[in-house]
Amino acid sequence: MASKYIILDTNILSDAQKPRPRPELIAWLEGLSPSKVAIPYSALFEISYGIELVSQTDPERANKLRNWRAQFLSLDFAMPETTPEVGEIVAKMACKGPLKDHWIMWPDVSGAQRRKLKFGSDPMIAATAIAHQMPIATLNVRDFLLIDRYFPLPGIFDPLSMEWIVDPPSGWTFAPDLQPEVERKDHGTKSPNIEAETPTCKIIRFRA
């Protein structure tokens, strides 16, 4: 069954916190109901990894980013579970030759080559979307279109052009969720729906 949520790719989160984010993206986020937002584990990993890289050269900037991350994580959004099905889908992607650019070859101690997942986590985000039947909003349409060619995705949305590059599941809508209760990121517990009072996505409110 199709989910009511849309997964936000890492590049949307990182672009939104910049001092000068893209105005088209901000306009879309301001109109996006929090009741629709899903953030996958892999996006949080990429954000944290990027912050740790920044800390090696600019500790002050890294601390600001950590504060932004803490504020971001305090928001009320859905976090799709990384299920065994997600792992199985990623494994199949890793064995698909045309998707090799999503993987990196690193030498082991013997000098032989072994395959490891890039820090760019598009396959994990795509697998999460497939397993949970959630469309993806991304600024990186091309890479997800390549994945979609071999592993059909439940929708790809480009917030800059405001276009569905791949159609979402039948009946999916950006309309706010009006159910009395919604699942949240605290391990599937439920909390009252307050979207009628807070109709816009607060992700852009916190800038590093």
Side-chain angles (χ1 to χ4, degrees):
M1 184 176 69
S3 170
K4 65 185 178 183
Y5 298 108
I6 186 166
I7 288 177
L8 302 191
D9 190 8
T10 312
N11 51 40
I12 288 180
L13 305 178
S14 60
D15 195 279
Q17 62 78 34
K18 291 178 179 178
R20 296 181 181 177
R22 305 185 205 197
E24 305 97 322
L25 178 60
I26 297 307
W28 178 69
L29 285 172
E30 287 179 339
L32 179 64
S33 169
S35 68
K36 309 300 292 187
V37 174
I39 310 296
Y41 162 81
S42 49
L44 298 179
F45 159 74
E46 286 192 285
I47 288 171
S48 297
Y49 176 69
I51 292 173
E52 294 309 309
L53 287 180
V54 171
S55 70
Q56 298 175 16
T57 57
D58 192 343
E60 183 177 355
R61 170 68 174 165
N63 284 334
K64 291 180 179 179
L65 287 169
R66 290 189 182 102
N67 290 336
W68 166 77
R69 180 181 58 191
Q71 291 174 310
F72 166 68
L73 290 175
S74 72
L75 300 178
D76 206 15
F77 56 82
M79 183 177 292
E81 185 180 359
T82 303
T83 62
E85 183 183 2
V86 172
E88 291 172 8
I89 295 171
V90 171
K92 291 177 181 178
M93 290 180 180
C95 294
K96 181 63 66 173
L99 300 182
K100 66 182 185 320
D101 286 345
H102 289 288
W103 307 85
I104 185 170
M105 302 296 289
W106 283 355
D108 61 18
V109 292
S110 67
Q113 296 291 311
R114 59 183 179 180
R115 182 170 293 180
K116 284 193 173 182
L117 184 63
K118 273 185 176 181
F119 284 114
S121 298
D122 291 347
M124 182 65 77
I125 291 175
T128 302
I130 293 170
H132 294 282
Q133 285 299 287
M134 296 179 180
I136 301 169
T138 181
L139 306 181
N140 179 23
V141 168
R142 184 176 64 178
D143 284 353
F144 282 105
L145 275 177
L146 178 60
I147 294 174
D148 178 69
R149 185 180 303 172
Y150 303 98
F151 299 87
L153 295 172
I156 302 174
F157 183 77
D158 181 353
L160 301 183
S161 65
M162 294 296 290
E163 293 179 320
W164 283 104
I165 310 303
V166 172
D167 289 337
S170 176
W172 197 95
T173 175
F174 277 115
D177 174 41
L178 299 179
Q179 297 300 317
E181 290 185 329
V182 292
E183 291 186 0
R184 294 304 183 194
K185 61 183 172 72
D186 51 345
H187 306 291
T189 59
K190 294 177 182 285
S191 60
N193 182 359
I194 57 173
E195 305 315 331
E197 300 177 6
T198 55
T200 59
C201 182
K202 296 186 180 65
I203 288 173
I204 65 167
R205 301 284 179 84
F206 303 113
R207 301 280 173 77

